[in-house]
Amino acid sequence: MTVAPLRRRGRATRALALVGIVGLPATAPANDRHVVAASLQDDACGENVLLEKVVALVNEERARKDAERVKKGLSRLPRLRIDRALMRAAAGHNDLMIEKDELTHQVRGERTLGERIRASGYEWSAVAENVAAGQRTPAEVVTAWMRSERHRDNILSAEYADVGVAHGMTGGGEHYWTMVFAARLRS
């Protein structure tokens, strides 16, 4: 799977990219974003709380979708569980994006998403990834992902059960986010 890097242009750019089984990138310009009211106080609470908030917001979106699925007689949409191996994989990739100040699913010389997940110790049957840059809070990044059809599809997919998420900033204060979705390989 090859995904061309999405280079950021200027500090005001809010960008999104995603990859799933087929690896389709998408971008959202700054003037097309919807920001849910949230403050930078999230950062002051500590990185773990920040990451847990992203997962909680994603699970809230999944709960809303689950209610629709139940009404239609479809199978339940489970809450995503935080997985340590996926957290390591997300953090490793996020660190590389920050180091290069480049929003991409595969930094030059880096393993593919599937290889990164396996290297973290997670044997997967399905995997996808959302990445973003510029959003400052969990609410902003989840809102941006939910406004993008393909990002939303990853978030609301019944195929995934586990998740890992990472956040960090460049020396210049630019925020980067990575969220990895996966399902374990059943033996």
Side-chain angles (χ1 to χ4, degrees):
M1 163 180 13
T2 304
V3 178
L6 298 173
R7 301 240 181 230
R8 300 192 44 243
R9 295 183 196 128
R11 297 181 64 83
T13 300
R14 302 279 194 237
L16 300 172
L18 73 141
V19 67
I21 306 233
V22 293
L24 300 170
T27 61
N31 61 357
D32 189 38
R33 67 184 189 281
H34 172 73
V35 178
V36 172
S39 74
L40 284 175
Q41 291 176 342
D42 290 331
D43 289 337
C45 296
E47 195 67 20
N48 287 337
V49 171
L50 189 78
L51 300 178
E52 288 170 3
K53 179 145 186 158
V54 172
V55 175
L57 291 169
V58 163
N59 277 327
E60 286 176 18
E61 296 293 344
R62 287 174 68 89
R64 277 192 274 284
K65 183 67 172 182
D66 182 57
E68 293 172 24
R69 291 173 61 92
V70 169
K71 285 179 185 176
K72 294 177 183 177
L74 299 172
S75 63
R76 303 293 311 238
L77 187 60
R79 294 178 61 79
L80 293 171
R81 297 178 307 250
I82 295 173
D83 182 273
R84 286 185 178 152
L86 296 179
M87 293 293 282
R88 285 191 305 273
H93 177 67
N94 211 63
D95 288 348
L96 285 174
M97 287 195 306
I98 290 166
E99 179 183 319
K100 303 291 184 188
D101 197 11
E102 179 181 341
L103 180 66
T104 182
H105 288 286
Q106 190 173 0
V107 175
R108 187 177 307 275
E110 183 185 27
R111 296 174 180 175
T112 66
L113 172 61
E115 292 167 341
R116 291 191 317 258
I117 302 306
R118 276 204 180 90
S120 74
Y122 189 104
E123 289 298 321
W124 58 271
S125 62
V127 65
E129 176 180 72
N130 288 358
V131 296
Q135 295 79 11
R136 299 178 310 159
T137 67
E140 286 182 15
V141 75
V142 172
T143 297
W145 284 332
M146 290 303 293
R147 291 199 51 160
S148 162
E149 182 180 355
R150 291 186 175 110
H151 289 93
R152 184 175 54 250
D153 288 349
N154 283 345
I155 288 170
L156 300 178
S157 174
E159 192 169 13
Y160 308 119
D162 300 318
V163 67
V165 63
H167 165 263
M169 295 187 323
T170 65
E174 294 299 315
H175 295 257
Y176 279 86
W177 304 85
T178 300
M179 189 165 216
V180 177
F181 307 86
R184 286 202 180 273
L185 184 64
R186 300 195 192 277
S187 47

